[in-house]
């Protein structure tokens, strides 16, 4: 399944045509990209997307997912942390936390496949899975916490 951008239009309008996050096709690509990041940021989560070709793309943590994807639809999106910021032995944490794309937890296989192709070890699933729901009453996107399926904006019921 692919996910189109559903976030604020003003963020989408800031995307620069032709610019996307760094493509990571191998451990060497990842090591080179991490070496170019500030030392204090290497152990923090990075923004990631899996583009429609199945490529892992990375950007610094405070980047918008839609910018990392070049404004295009994605197979998954979220945040990713590597065990050791330079040796990239494995992924220590990965989530589907992207309020711009709201990917379902079922997008994990696209992440796993991209990591496998690049030779990067990952967990067997999202370490911090997030459930998104769209409120049919007010249109607000919601993150469901503790199985509480109630809209944070209008308190209407969310689809289970």
């Amino acid at each position: 399944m692919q996910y189109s951008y559903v976030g604020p239009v003003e963020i989408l309008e800031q995307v620069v045509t032709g610019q996307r996050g760094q493509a990571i096709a191998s451990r060497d690509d990842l090591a080179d990209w991490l070496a170019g990041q500030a030392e204090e940021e290497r152990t923090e989560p990075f923004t990631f997307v899996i583009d429609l070709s199945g490529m892992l793309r990375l950007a610094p943590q405070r980047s918008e997912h839609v910018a990392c994807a070049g404004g295009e639809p994605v197979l998954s999106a979220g945040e990713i942390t590597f065990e050791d910021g330079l040796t990239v032995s494995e992924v220590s944490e990965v989530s589907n936390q992207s309020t711009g794309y709201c990917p379902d937890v079922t997008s994990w296989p696209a992440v796993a496949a991209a990591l496998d192709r690049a030779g990067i070890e990952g967990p067997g699933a999202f370490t911090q899975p997030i459930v998104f729901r769209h409120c049919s009453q007010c249109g607000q996107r919601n993150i469901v916490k503790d199985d509480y399926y109630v809209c944070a904006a209008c308190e209407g019921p969310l689809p289970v």
Side-chain angles (χ1 to χ4, degrees):
M1 175 175 199
Q2 62 179 274
Y3 299 90
S4 296
Y5 180 72
V6 295
V9 173
E10 53 274 7
I11 292 176
L12 179 60
E13 290 172 344
Q14 295 175 16
V15 173
V16 178
T17 304
Q19 289 187 3
R20 298 189 291 179
Q22 179 64 47
I24 306 296
S26 68
R27 291 175 64 85
D28 288 342
D29 288 348
L30 180 57
D32 290 346
W33 186 78
L34 286 171
Q37 304 307 302
E39 185 175 344
E40 62 275 4
E41 292 179 4
R42 291 182 194 141
T43 56
E44 291 183 6
F46 292 104
T47 295
F48 84 86
V49 299
I50 307 300
D51 69 19
L52 294 182
S53 73
M55 178 67 66
L56 171 65
R57 293 190 172 275
L58 296 177
Q61 182 183 31
R62 288 156 194 78
S63 302
E64 294 291 342
H65 291 96
V66 70
C68 188
E72 297 295 319
V74 300
L75 299 176
S76 190
E79 294 185 344
I80 191 166
T81 305
F82 299 98
E83 184 69 33
D84 180 340
L86 277 180
T87 62
V88 296
S89 57
E90 65 183 59
V91 173
S92 59
E93 293 184 38
V94 61
S95 76
N96 60 318
Q97 184 172 339
S98 168
T99 56
Y101 284 101
C102 300
D104 193 74
V105 294
T106 59
S107 69
W108 171 254
V111 178
L115 292 173
D116 286 347
R117 275 192 300 281
I120 301 166
E121 291 183 46
F126 287 118
T127 57
Q128 297 173 3
I130 297 182
V131 175
F132 296 98
R133 289 295 185 269
H134 184 262
C135 179
S136 59
Q137 291 182 4
C138 73
Q140 180 69 34
R141 290 177 316 279
N142 288 264
I143 292 177
V144 175
K145 296 180 183 176
D146 301 322
D147 290 327
Y148 187 64
Y149 288 82
V150 176
C151 179
C154 74
E155 298 185 0
L158 296 172
V160 176

